[in-house]
Amino acid sequence: MQFGRTTLSKFVIEQTRGQHSEMGALLIDVAAAVKTISALVGKGALSGYSGALDSTNVQGEVQKKLDVLTNEALLRHCEWGGQLAGMASEEMDEPYRIPDQYPRGRYLLIFDPLDGSSNSDVNVSVGTIFSILQRETAGDAETADYLQPGDRQIAAGYAIYGPSTMLVLTVGSGTHGFTLDRESGNFILTHADIRVPEETREFAINSSNERFWEPPVQRYVSECKAGKTGIRGVDFNMRWIASMVAEVHRILMRGGIFMYPKDSKDPAKPGRLRLLYEANPMAMLIEQAGGAASTGRGRILGVAPEDLHQRVPVLLGSKQEVERVERYHQEYDSGTDRPFVSPLFAERSLYRTENSNFQ
Ligand code: AFP
């Protein structure tokens, strides 16, 4: 039994006592939704909810039945408590208005209810990502209330539905991990004050997009792949799970760098990941754990959102590697990396490819 161990409820009440005690109650409702989703996802094909719907979300992505069901779980668990001015989600074009029968608060809950959902049908870890902002007063939130830089987040977290279900969160005082004890139904504090190692030899990126990346990313990944034979002088390992929650969790546990950079695959989309409910919460968790989170040209948490579903390039993880990739972007933008991509060496360039659309 887990007698005496710190439960999520105890941790949250202690950490949010005073100014944000109402938010503590909201986090406990989010945890209840996570338990519901964990049970649903854990049934796999037995749930009867595998497969896709014939609907698409605002991203134009085909919605899975589980995308819609997990979205509903978060709405139902969190709408009634009186802490919220509204909710926004990857699965809803517009923000959700709290039903008239419930009181309103000043907090805004923004989430990706099932991140990595394309993995759910092949039994690979998926997750839920959430971010909490606040507005000046309690009441019905407008869309503009959600468009705050990530530095304004009051709390952020994710659930990972893997061999065990974990909830990893920050309320601005470090990043902490809780493991679901299915016997008691409690989340138990198992990873207090997680720290991301500053150095790493492991990178995560979808290499099938290599010809669409900007040269600084091509340069960095090429050096990692060259390993001992190249300027890095050491070999690197690569991972790609195609589930951001699983990648970020691995990085919090053992270090690494995760990259979903800007690419020319679809110029209308500067990267795949969404700012408000993927990049910002993960960036807060990583920075609170001593890591770095960048667009390649600046901190993710400093980006001023213009749209609810805005996308952003994401490079995050071990500080030394993120800073190196940022430096390569600076050298590229200032032209000081040109020996690597000058016309003189174009035919032998390590970084220019026949499909590269970047000058
Ligand atoms: P889905 O939620 O549509 O599966 O997308 C997951 C995700 O947003 C993120 O979790 C992954 O890191 C990334 O997309 C994977 O993208 P690729 O499929 O292009 O590798």
Side-chain angles (χ1 to χ4, degrees), residues 64-105:
K64 299 269 187 188
K65 292 171 189 167
L66 281 176
D67 284 328
V68 174
L69 283 168
T70 53
N71 195 66
E72 282 297 305
L74 279 153
L75 296 178
R76 298 292 84 80
H77 276 283
C78 300
E79 64 185 351
W80 61 275
Q83 303 94 5
L84 287 173
M87 291 186 257
S89 159
E90 179 187 21
E91 301 307 326
M92 301 187 296
D93 298 2
E94 300 301 326
Y96 178 78
R97 186 179 183 281
I98 302 300
D100 291 340
Q101 68 266 35
Y102 299 129
R104 277 121 177 79

Side-chain angles (χ1 to χ4, degrees), residues 114-118 206 240 242-244 258 260 272-273 278:
L114 196 62
D115 175 68
S117 58
S118 56
N206 181 341
W240 190 249
S243 186
M244 185 185 195
F258 167 85
Y260 213 112
R272 175 186 169 99
L273 301 173
E278 289 175 326

Side-chain angles (χ1 to χ4, degrees), residues 252-315:
L252 284 169
M253 294 296 104
R254 70 185 195 207
I257 180 171
F258 167 85
M259 294 171 279
Y260 213 112
K262 176 178 173 184
D263 61 40
S264 62
K265 201 171 188 177
D266 180 347
K269 295 177 182 173
R272 175 186 169 99
L273 301 173
R274 274 70 64 165
L275 176 61
L276 289 186
Y277 40 79
E278 289 175 326
N280 272 344
M282 292 309 205
M284 183 177 183
L285 289 161
I286 288 287
E287 285 200 1
Q288 284 287 321
S294 172
T295 63
R297 294 181 169 91
R299 288 175 66 241
I300 286 172
L301 295 178
V303 175
E306 294 168 5
D307 176 80
L308 206 56
H309 301 287
Q310 161 175 349
R311 297 171 192 267
V312 70
V314 175
L315 312 166

